[in-house]
């Protein structure tokens, strides 16, 4: 940007209002835990759905940002726009497939590994970890 180019601040008010609204909604959400009636409304399915939705939004935003940078890198390397889009898409789904393959290999190597969601499974997880030989510096 040239030093002589004017800076457009036409959307500064809107930007400030959006940032203020985001900050106030965070404060409102944090303050809600002090009201007993609101806490009673928070059930596990509602909290799970809310966390799942917010996690999905964060993943979507991250993937879209990374995807755009990937496409731009392919275009900077000399690919045409259509080929850069295809290459970025292939890399995204190829990466997902690679992660799934690594996950499968890890679970085949360590078949005793499992995810425990019950409250009483902490003892089971601790007991199974005690069966494994410990690696120490003395060995």
């Amino acid at each position: 940007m040239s030093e002589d180019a004017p800076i457009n601040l036409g959307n500064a008010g809107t930007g400030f209002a959006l940032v203020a609204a985001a900050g106030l909604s965070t404060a409102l959400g944090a303050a809600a835990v002090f009201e007993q009636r609101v806490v009673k409304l928070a059930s596990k399915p509602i909290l799970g759905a809310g966390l799942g939705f917010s996690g999905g939004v964060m993943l979507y935003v991250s993937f879209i940002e990374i995807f755009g940078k990937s496409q731009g890198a392919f275009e900077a390397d000399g690919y045409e726009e259509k080929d850069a889009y295809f290459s970025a898409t292939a890399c995204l789904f190829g990466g997902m497939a690679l992660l799934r393959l690594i996950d499968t290999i890890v679970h085949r190597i360590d078949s005793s590994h499992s995810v425990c969601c019950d409250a009483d499974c902490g003892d089971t997880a601790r007991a199974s970890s005690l069966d494994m030989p410990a690696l120490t510096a003395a060995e």
Side-chain angles (χ1 to χ4, degrees):
M1 181 175 233
S2 170
E3 290 182 24
D4 298 332
I7 297 174
N8 183 5
L9 297 177
N11 292 334
T14 304
F16 183 76
L18 289 173
V19 168
L24 289 174
S25 63
T26 301
L28 179 66
V33 299
F34 294 111
E35 178 59 40
Q36 192 63 26
R37 291 176 292 183
V38 175
V39 172
K40 287 181 182 178
L41 291 175
S43 66
K44 286 187 179 184
I46 291 174
L47 290 175
L51 287 172
F53 178 75
S54 64
V57 168
M58 286 186 265
L59 285 173
Y60 173 77
V61 169
S62 298
F63 284 151
I64 292 302
E65 183 177 341
I66 291 170
F67 185 85
K69 288 182 180 183
S70 173
Q71 184 179 359
F74 278 118
E75 288 175 1
D77 197 41
Y79 285 75
E80 293 181 20
E81 184 179 351
K82 187 176 182 180
D83 294 334
Y85 183 82
F86 175 77
S87 298
T89 303
C91 287
L92 176 69
F93 287 108
M96 289 180 185
L98 179 64
L99 285 175
R100 182 63 183 156
L101 176 67
I102 291 171
D103 182 55
T104 302
I105 292 170
V106 166
H107 284 284
R108 287 194 183 200
I109 291 171
D110 183 16
S111 60
S112 66
H113 178 74
S114 64
V115 176
C116 187
C117 297
D118 295 332
D120 63 345
C121 70
D123 297 331
T124 307
R126 270 187 241 102
S128 67
S129 68
L130 293 175
D131 294 340
M132 300 287 290
L135 297 176
T136 62
E139 289 182 18

